[in-house]
Amino acid sequence: MRTCVQKMRKCVQNMHLRRYTSRVTEEFIKQNLTISTDHLTPEIKLLLISHNSPLYTQPIQDSSSSLQDPWWTIYWPGGQVLSRYFLDFPHLVQGKHVLDIGSGCGALRCQLCGAADVTANDIDLNARTALSLNSNINNIQNINFSSTDHLTHTNPNKLKEFDILCVGDLLYDARREKKFIK
């Protein structure tokens, strides 16, 4: 657990310094993450980092350059709660156009609940690879993907295309929150 926490701390320190450019492959994800239903939404199977994952105990200095900011390997608490809420009250997203910013499994849950269309959004293209695999595991199709940085470079008119905007665990910094909410 300690090495996992150290990796996350290092990622937080470096996250604003670069755009995500290193890419992981589907094979890398399959080999290094485990399918889990041990979360608030067990009806959704997700490839996640866990104590059973090879990466969980790998020392930081040995981690591959493709795993510099592995936010997409974790099912964050806010995302779990938001997912559980929509799964319990699917009428909230049924027939709606949904944008899930910082997308992990948020796009999956909205598609499962009958949204008209779902756009998963993340600036890390590795999240797209993970989303594709998680979609396949859950037999979910037709999720769009966008890498636009909506937290810092959003055209307000672009967001008007969506009925629902989902943000689980991204607004942890007051500066980002204020800029995004404007």
Side-chain angles (χ1 to χ4, degrees):
M1 179 65 173
R2 186 169 187 217
T3 56
C4 185
V5 170
Q6 289 173 328
K7 284 181 185 179
M8 289 298 109
R9 275 197 192 119
K10 186 175 182 180
C11 290
V12 169
Q13 292 168 354
N14 294 328
M15 74 179 269
H16 298 293
L17 301 178
R18 66 189 172 308
R19 180 89 168 158
Y20 302 93
T21 55
S22 299
R23 298 291 302 273
V24 296
T25 63
E26 287 188 359
E27 192 60 35
F28 177 87
I29 292 172
K30 289 176 186 176
Q31 289 176 355
N32 290 285
L33 302 181
T34 55
I35 295 175
S36 174
T37 57
D38 187 21
H39 42 72
L40 292 179
T41 56
E43 54 269 75
I44 301 174
K45 296 175 187 169
L46 298 169
L47 282 159
L48 301 171
I49 195 164
S50 73
H51 65 279
N52 295 324
S53 303
L55 293 175
Y56 189 78
T57 56
Q58 183 178 351
I60 295 171
Q61 62 271 20
D62 293 342
S63 78
S64 118
S65 62
S66 297
L67 202 61
Q68 293 175 0
D69 294 309
W71 305 119
W72 46 269
T73 65
I74 299 168
Y75 193 6
W76 296 93
Q80 288 189 52
V81 170
L82 193 56
S83 293
R84 180 76 269 151
Y85 185 74
F86 284 141
L87 288 168
D88 289 345
F89 302 100
H91 66 279
L92 296 172
V93 295
Q94 286 175 342
K96 306 282 182 165
H97 303 278
V98 180
L99 174 64
D100 185 45
I101 296 180
S103 192
C105 75
L108 297 173
R109 63 143 152 20
C110 291
Q111 194 70 13
L112 280 173
C113 292
D117 64 76
V118 179
T119 299
N121 171 258
D122 203 299
I123 59 173
D124 185 348
L125 295 178
N126 292 323
R128 176 186 225 163
T129 306
L131 177 68
S132 174
L133 286 170
N134 284 324
S135 294
N136 289 339
I137 290 169
N138 291 282
N139 297 313
I140 297 172
Q141 299 175 5
N142 303 322
I143 295 178
N144 304 309
F145 188 89
S146 162
S147 61
T148 300
D149 186 351
H150 288 292
L151 292 180
T152 57
H153 300 90
T154 299
N155 173 351
N157 291 325
K158 178 71 176 160
L159 295 179
K160 291 179 182 177
E161 297 174 12
F162 301 97
D163 302 312
I164 297 177
L165 176 64
C166 298
V167 182
D169 291 281
L170 290 179
L171 301 178
Y172 51 83
D173 177 305
R175 292 176 298 172
R176 293 177 94 196
E177 291 171 15
K178 288 178 186 172
K179 189 170 188 174
F180 180 70
I181 290 172
K182 286 181 183 180

